[in-house]
Amino acid sequence: NEVVVWSAYDGYDYPFQVDYHEKWKQLVDAFRECCDAYPDIKFSLEFKPTDENTRFFTVPSTGAALLLVKEIDRPNMGLTLDMGHMLMAGENPGQSIAMVGDKLYGIQLNDGYTRLAAEDGMMFGSVHPTMALEAIYQLQ
């Protein structure tokens, strides 16, 4: 009963390429439409700051993702956090998990060296063991 959305091409590569306000509005409207059409399904956004497909994502951080969820304002809209994506965004995953609270619908446990535009997808806790421990603590 959950759809996880990772928008691989929802972003831009160059300054002045997109209208940021319009891009944001498109996301809000699209998720509202999905949430309203299927109220029994949870919709969960998995943000990612950057990727080889798109240099800058429209929703590049946990904070931006929370802002989007707040603006969508639907009970069936939440987030899936990916440890590697939070690290790529320069975040402390434990803090990000704590911030999301009851809007955390899922988590992907992995690790990486935190290089921008690279996703190592390494074994959970292999590079950042203390952050992994804190993330598990925050999930309790």
Side-chain angles (χ1 to χ4, degrees):
N1 294 353
E2 182 178 339
V3 173
V4 178
V5 177
W6 173 66
S7 48
Y9 297 96
D10 192 18
Y12 56 97
D13 293 312
Y14 305 101
F16 300 106
Q17 183 178 350
V18 299
D19 179 325
Y20 305 121
H21 297 288
E22 181 58 32
K23 196 80 170 143
W24 189 264
K25 183 181 179 320
Q26 288 171 353
L27 278 176
V28 170
D29 292 346
F31 277 114
R32 281 181 179 166
E33 185 176 334
C34 291
C35 289
D36 291 346
Y38 301 97
D40 295 333
I41 294 177
K42 288 182 173 181
F43 290 89
S44 185
L45 175 67
E46 177 187 343
F47 87 86
K48 189 174 183 183
T50 186
D51 191 76
E52 59 272 4
N53 300 321
T54 304
R55 181 67 178 117
F56 301 103
F57 276 93
T58 305
V59 185
S61 66
T62 300
L66 277 171
L67 181 63
L68 182 70
V69 167
K70 182 178 179 178
E71 194 166 331
I72 292 166
D73 194 27
R74 298 297 187 270
N76 56 331
M77 182 68 206
L79 299 175
T80 292
L81 296 179
D82 180 302
M83 289 286 293
H85 297 177
M86 290 183 279
L87 291 167
M88 285 172 58
E91 298 177 0
N92 173 353
Q95 180 183 15
S96 297
I97 291 166
M99 286 172 37
V100 173
D102 65 352
K103 286 298 186 175
L104 182 63
Y105 289 179
I107 187 155
Q108 296 177 7
L109 301 175
N110 52 41
D111 208 335
Y113 289 106
T114 69
R115 295 170 303 166
L116 200 56
E119 183 168 9
D120 300 314
M122 301 181 77
M123 184 172 58
F124 180 63
S126 62
V127 180
H128 298 92
T130 308
M131 286 184 164
L133 181 62
E134 185 185 32
I136 295 300
Y137 175 80
Q138 291 298 330
L139 288 168
Q140 296 182 51

